[in-house]
Amino acid sequence: MGQIITFYSYKGGSGRSMALANTAAYLSLRASDKKVLMIDWDLEAPGLEHYFKEWIGEASGRLGIFDFIELSKKEFPATAHKNNQEPSEPTEEFFKRIESYLIPVRISNDADNLFLIKAGNVTGNYSVRINRFNWTAFFKQIPGFFTLFSKYLAEKFDYVLVDSRTGHTDIGGICTMLLPEKLVLVFTPNEQGLEGVLQLAKKAAQYRMKSADLRPLRIYPLPSRVELQEDNLRNDWKGKYQNRFEDLFKQIYGLPSTISLEQYFNRVLIPHASRYAYGEKVAILEETAGISSISENYQAFTMQLVESKEIWTNEPFSGLASPYQVYFLFADKDRSQVESFTRHISPLARQNAIALSHPDTQLSSIEQLDDHTRRKIGSGGIDFIVLFLSPALMEQKEKWLYEVNEMLNRSNGLGKYKIIPILLDKVELLDEFDGIPVFPSRRISVRESSNLDETWTDVSVAFRQRLIIYKEKTQSDTNDT
């Protein structure tokens, strides 16, 4: 599956489209067998094609992504709602029509793998059509459109780079929340641009955690048009935006206070270059290879974007020989809450810190607990048991209490570190849980919270801290022996 990457900036003039154009050009030249697609989704101020006019010629009359959206609206009318039927959704056969909108961009004789989809046919009444289009109504009419579309694009292209609208708009929300698995935040070192992308990042991450889309949303800040001649100001602002993004990542990913973006921001920065203040030029195609130039900055960023899973350092689980095996004990009626928690701790899985130990990689409830899993717990094949305490689970305690006691009594007194109770509802706690921290707390359950997303974030942070404590404790005991 390919990667869908959105480039976003809160303010215009940040170099967002230029960053996307250079990233696309470098990806195309770097591997001729990888198909790269650019989509100009800045519908109100399109112009991505200007960076490649030397290779595509006149494109003013060509259809684009907005024309395809209008076609979809006509093809799948909202008649199903009137008849109390499920709305019809586009098929793969329908999405194949997007291929007629592709504009080949032949930037090299050795590469025919770069394509562009314009914003739309901007002739005639284009601006009127854009202003009249109701994006909320379209989303309700075909609720699965953008999910299916992103899946189709990821199957057909190795990299899909989306140029998003600035500001906080419906179109920007589609590009930053619904489509991508990676989000590039392009900003210049000023308070408006920085605060705007930080707010958008938090909003996008919170939306993804609450949605049915289980893809993690990875965020890549890109400081742009930085003046290198002002050393003091540059260093002051680097410290400012580094601290702000570290605080953001700790909050939305549930990371510990020890993480740092120092190394990332030392490598990633697009300097101001006066020659690129005129016209639309692609540095990757303009500058001679090997010469220290802005093209090298774009190359360095692109490598971070496509090859780095995480951009922070000082990860406390980096020394693990293998991920901790984690088993969830929960009642089937609480599955949605368990899935919410799973989304919040997904960074730990991506960092290879944990692996969910359930049959066939599916979350199996207490109703599905089998003898194989019981033997695995009894033999020490499970490192942590997370109990999602609710009346439904407590009614079935005879099915799991023996395994919990086995875990508590094992590992030279470390058993209590390996049981992690999460209080979904107010229930009477068992004596076995004496001395074991319960999350969120023994007095407040998850479902009593006024903000579930914040509560799950807090619980995921506490869960991570328990893993760190256990890791430090086991290392200390090993050193003592």
Side-chain angles (χ1 to χ4, degrees), residues 9 11-20 22 51 185-190 222-230 234 237 241 268-281 294 297-298:
S9 62
K11 301 283 287 186
S14 63
R16 182 196 70 244
S17 297
M18 185 176 179
L20 186 151
N22 277 276
Y51 286 93
L185 302 175
V186 186
F187 64 96
T188 52
N190 60 64
L222 179 59
S224 179
R225 296 187 172 170
V226 178
E227 179 54 68
L228 299 182
Q229 305 303 316
E230 298 287 345
R234 175 167 54 86
W237 271 95
Y241 59 69
V268 170
L269 175 148
I270 306 301
H272 171 74
S274 57
R275 67 171 297 191
Y276 293 105
Y278 301 93
E280 291 88 1
K281 298 183 178 68
I294 192 174
N297 296 93
Y298 284 119

Side-chain angles (χ1 to χ4, degrees), residues 331-392:
D332 196 62
K333 68 182 301 183
D334 298 320
R335 182 177 295 274
S336 63
Q337 296 292 329
V338 176
E339 289 175 347
S340 293
F341 178 66
T342 303
R343 285 193 289 269
H344 277 76
I345 63 170
S346 61
L348 289 170
R350 296 199 306 272
Q351 296 162 28
N352 209 37
I354 64 170
L356 299 185
S357 189
H358 286 256
D360 303 321
T361 69
Q362 300 297 315
L363 289 176
S364 53
S365 65
I366 188 63
E367 290 86 351
Q368 300 161 314
L369 182 62
D370 56 22
D371 290 338
H372 172 75
T373 303
R374 294 181 190 277
R375 288 193 297 270
K376 191 173 182 180
I377 295 173
S379 64
I382 301 294
D383 295 303
F384 293 92
I385 292 179
V386 181
L387 289 114
F388 293 85
L389 300 175
S390 71

Side-chain angles (χ1 to χ4, degrees), residues 213-233:
D213 189 345
L214 296 180
R215 294 178 303 163
L217 182 64
R218 298 174 181 168
I219 295 173
Y220 295 79
L222 179 59
S224 179
R225 296 187 172 170
V226 178
E227 179 54 68
L228 299 182
Q229 305 303 316
E230 298 287 345
D231 287 343
N232 291 336
L233 285 173

Side-chain angles (χ1 to χ4, degrees), residues 94-328:
F94 174 80
F95 283 127
K96 283 184 179 179
R97 300 191 195 183
I98 197 67
E99 295 180 10
S100 64
Y101 294 69
L102 298 179
I103 302 175
V105 185
R106 193 71 180 269
I107 58 177
S108 167
N109 292 330
D110 300 324
D112 58 356
N113 59 340
L114 181 60
F115 302 90
L116 168 69
I117 295 178
K118 292 180 50 190
N121 180 2
V122 298
T123 59
N125 64 342
Y126 175 81
S127 61
V128 175
R129 289 158 52 206
I130 288 291
N131 291 329
R132 289 180 177 176
F133 195 85
N134 189 326
W135 290 95
T136 302
F138 178 78
F139 185 82
K140 292 180 179 178
Q141 178 178 327
I142 320 176
F145 179 86
F146 295 107
T147 299
L148 294 169
F149 188 41
S150 62
K151 183 175 183 293
Y152 176 83
L153 293 174
E155 289 174 347
K156 300 301 179 182
F157 296 90
D158 295 283
Y159 302 103
V160 180
L161 309 184
V162 178
D163 198 16
S164 173
R165 183 81 176 101
T166 57
H168 296 163
T169 63
D170 289 342
I171 297 174
I174 291 167
C175 296
T176 58
M177 300 178 196
L178 299 179
L179 292 175
E181 61 185 277
K182 294 184 177 180
L183 178 58
V184 178
L185 302 175
V186 186
F187 64 96
T188 52
N190 60 64
E191 192 59 40
Q192 292 181 65
L194 177 57
E195 182 61 27
V197 296
L198 287 166
Q199 288 183 10
L200 184 281
K202 184 176 180 180
K203 186 177 180 181
Q206 289 175 342
Y207 177 87
R208 180 62 59 85
M209 287 180 182
K210 296 176 183 178
S211 74
D213 189 345
L214 296 180
R215 294 178 303 163
L217 182 64
R218 298 174 181 168
I219 295 173
Y220 295 79
L222 179 59
S224 179
R225 296 187 172 170
V226 178
E227 179 54 68
L228 299 182
Q229 305 303 316
E230 298 287 345
D231 287 343
N232 291 336
L233 285 173
R234 175 167 54 86
N235 290 331
D236 287 347
W237 271 95
K238 177 178 177 292
K240 179 180 293 188
Y241 59 69
Q242 178 180 319
N243 289 337
R244 299 277 289 278
F245 274 106
E246 286 172 352
D247 289 342
L248 175 73
F249 281 20
K250 292 170 192 174
Q251 180 180 1
I252 64 177
Y253 294 134
L255 298 175
S257 60
T258 54
I259 67 112
S260 171
L261 293 172
E262 179 78 20
Q263 293 185 23
Y264 173 79
F265 281 122
N266 284 342
R267 289 189 292 262
V268 170
L269 175 148
I270 306 301
H272 171 74
S274 57
R275 67 171 297 191
Y276 293 105
Y278 301 93
E280 291 88 1
K281 298 183 178 68
V282 182
I284 293 291
L285 305 176
E286 290 271 330
E287 300 173 346
T288 305
I291 297 177
S292 179
S293 61
I294 192 174
S295 67
E296 289 190 349
N297 296 93
Y298 284 119
Q299 291 179 38
F301 169 70
T302 303
M303 297 305 292
Q304 286 284 316
L305 178 63
V306 300
E307 293 194 350
S308 298
K309 289 186 177 180
E310 311 296 356
I311 63 175
W312 54 80
T313 56
N314 195 22
E315 172 51 56
F317 301 109
S318 59
L320 285 180
S322 60
Y324 290 128
Q325 296 295 311
V326 179
Y327 189 80
F328 290 170

Side-chain angles (χ1 to χ4, degrees), residues 408-438:
L408 288 170
N409 295 328
R410 200 189 306 116
S411 305
N412 299 322
L414 290 175
K416 288 189 176 183
Y417 290 95
K418 305 179 80 169
I419 299 296
I420 302 177
I422 296 177
L423 198 62
L424 294 182
D425 296 288
K426 279 286 186 62
V427 295
E428 185 176 348
L429 297 177
L430 301 175
D431 293 340
E432 283 83 354
F433 298 150
D434 286 347
I436 301 177
V438 176

